[in-house]
Amino acid sequence: MKLPQDTLTIDPIAMNVVNRVAAGSRLQGDLLFEGGLLVQGEISGQIRVNGRLIIWKGGVVRGTVRVQGDLYLFGQLGVAEGSAQDTQLECHGMAYVAQTGVSTGTLMAKRLQLYEGADLRGPFKTLKLGSTVPVLHDVQSQQPLRAPGSRS
């Protein structure tokens, strides 16, 4: 069965997403999820998802987020009163923004698919394939550059 181009429907169970933040739940902090994540409640902080991230209707994600799989946005990325810098999401797969999806944060993805009614209020950027420029990667502090022959 082929879906119409202007709608996006998914089944999180069939997608083998093993982690869930249930409706009415709030989770905050430095978080790592292996095997994907379904967000029906609220989650915020430094978030890494190794797998798919599904932000369901009513779900809210805030903070600095790195997704190693695809993003499915049916809910809210960022908050309405927040700025684009408050929430930044880097997706190393395809980002799908459904007709109910709202993003007030900065959305960066290798590929982006918007459906009719999708609401992108914050900036978005497509990441170049094979790019070596760090975006939201963990960056080690580097020693300052010194001229040859200088003393430290």
Side-chain angles (χ1 to χ4, degrees), residues 130-145:
S131 174
T132 58
V133 177
V135 180
L136 295 179
H137 299 263
D138 299 334
V139 179
Q140 299 292 329
S141 61
Q142 299 177 358
Q143 296 294 326
L145 296 175

Side-chain angles (χ1 to χ4, degrees), residues 31-34 46-50 64-67 138:
L31 308 166
L32 171 64
F33 297 94
E34 294 288 343
Q46 298 277 60
I47 304 161
R48 297 175 87 185
V49 180
N50 291 329
T64 303
V65 184
R66 186 183 326 153
V67 180
D138 299 334

Side-chain angles (χ1 to χ4, degrees), residues 52 69 72 74 79 88 90 118 121 134:
R52 297 176 176 103
Y72 298 86
F74 295 91
V79 291
Q88 297 184 27
E90 177 185 316
R121 299 179 193 171

